[in-house]
Amino acid sequence: MLRYLPFLLIIALTIYAFIDCLNTPEEEVKHLPKVVWVIIILLFSIVGPVVWLFAGKKRSAVGGGFGGGRARRTQWVAPDDNPEFLKSLREEQERQDGQGKQDGKDRNDPDKG
């Protein structure tokens, strides 16, 4: 089974590069037309995919650099960093505090319970 691993890795790399090339918009492809990149990826099993991954596509910085032709998608923000989520928590807490005081009970005061 272990002797098949290099072969499977080469196939996986080729499939990944092929799909990545097909899904890349034409404006983000560098140096050659997209059709030529597809042919290179499929004909040259190891070199083609590696060259595509390093030189065939415009890559933007992980931190969201200024490059890239596509409009940026909204990135997921952790709840404790999301101001809208924190605001909704504050509003809910104020609503609950208001209901507690209307009922004659203050949850924070142990003498009034």
Side-chain angles (χ1 to χ4, degrees), residues 22-40:
L22 291 179
N23 288 332
T24 302
E26 193 70 42
E27 307 87 48
E28 293 184 14
V29 176
K30 295 189 327 186
H31 305 298
L32 297 171
K34 190 192 266 192
V35 175
V36 176
W37 277 115
V38 169
I39 293 170
I40 289 172

Side-chain angles (χ1 to χ4, degrees), residues 88-100 102:
S88 70
L89 286 179
R90 262 186 256 112
E91 290 172 353
E92 184 178 335
Q93 183 66 39
E94 289 171 1
R95 210 173 322 122
Q96 288 178 355
D97 288 345
Q99 286 178 348
Q102 288 175 356

Side-chain angles (χ1 to χ4, degrees), residues 56-72:
K57 179 179 175 181
K58 291 181 185 175
R59 308 272 178 192
S60 61
V62 175
F66 295 109
R70 277 192 275 186
R72 288 182 45 115

Side-chain angles (χ1 to χ4, degrees), residues 52-111:
W52 163 255
L53 293 174
F54 285 107
K57 179 179 175 181
K58 291 181 185 175
R59 308 272 178 192
S60 61
V62 175
F66 295 109
R70 277 192 275 186
R72 288 182 45 115
R73 286 185 246 164
T74 305
Q75 292 183 349
W76 182 81
V77 179
D80 57 342
D81 292 335
N82 188 342
E84 294 174 15
F85 178 72
L86 294 174
K87 181 181 175 186
S88 70
L89 286 179
R90 262 186 256 112
E91 290 172 353
E92 184 178 335
Q93 183 66 39
E94 289 171 1
R95 210 173 322 122
Q96 288 178 355
D97 288 345
Q99 286 178 348
K101 289 179 183 177
Q102 288 175 356
D103 294 341
K105 298 176 184 174
D106 189 359
R107 295 180 186 170
N108 295 332
D109 191 1
D111 295 334

